[in-house]
Amino acid sequence: MKNHALGAVLLWTALPLAAAAGSLRVGPTRLDLSAQHPVAVLEVENTGDSPTLAQVDAFAWTQNAGEEVLEPSPDLIATPLVMNLAPGETQKVRVGLRELGSDRTERSYRVIVGEVTPTFVASA
């Protein structure tokens, strides 16, 4: 595994994937991680009127010919990855660098918090 950035910039996006589900508020929208501060806390709040299920995904973020490129990244760890939020409930999500290295290259990541529709399987 490559050494991780001394400075990592994380941008957060709340992405509703189910129109009928509640609404998410995610903040702060930018976190800076470094060897001195390898972990940060993100708050996810359900601002809707019904319970919702949210999922956290981490991506390495780059640009290629002016287009955004998102690739799944093992560089970050987030917990919890999935959360069931009641109306008005706020959940703290810890995000951190998996490994601290001596690489001084800044890297950017995008963490997407999305609402997902639970899938239920009927028992026979």
Side-chain angles (χ1 to χ4, degrees):
M1 181 185 292
K2 292 182 182 178
N3 287 337
H4 295 294
L6 181 62
V9 177
L10 300 172
L11 302 174
W12 305 99
T13 304
L15 179 63
L17 299 176
S23 299
L24 294 178
R25 181 196 62 78
V26 180
T29 57
R30 178 184 167 124
L31 298 172
D32 292 310
L33 300 179
S34 66
Q36 294 78 24
H37 302 286
V39 178
V41 175
L42 173 71
E43 289 188 353
V44 179
E45 178 185 10
N46 178 2
T47 61
D49 296 331
S50 60
T52 191
L53 185 65
Q55 179 175 323
V56 178
D57 293 295
F59 299 93
W61 177 84
T62 57
Q63 287 190 329
N64 185 9
E67 297 290 324
E68 287 189 17
V69 178
L70 296 176
E71 294 182 19
S73 177
D75 294 351
L76 300 176
I77 187 166
T79 186
L81 291 175
V82 177
M83 58 206 107
N84 193 3
L85 298 168
E89 184 178 2
T90 299
Q91 173 74 49
K92 292 184 186 223
V93 177
R94 290 180 180 258
V95 178
L97 294 171
R98 281 191 185 266
E99 182 179 312
L100 298 177
S102 60
D103 186 3
R104 295 193 176 270
T105 304
E106 182 175 294
R107 291 186 173 87
S108 296
Y109 301 91
R110 180 144 303 162
V111 175
I112 297 177
V113 179
E115 295 179 38
V116 294
T117 304
T119 304
F120 297 100
V121 177
S123 58

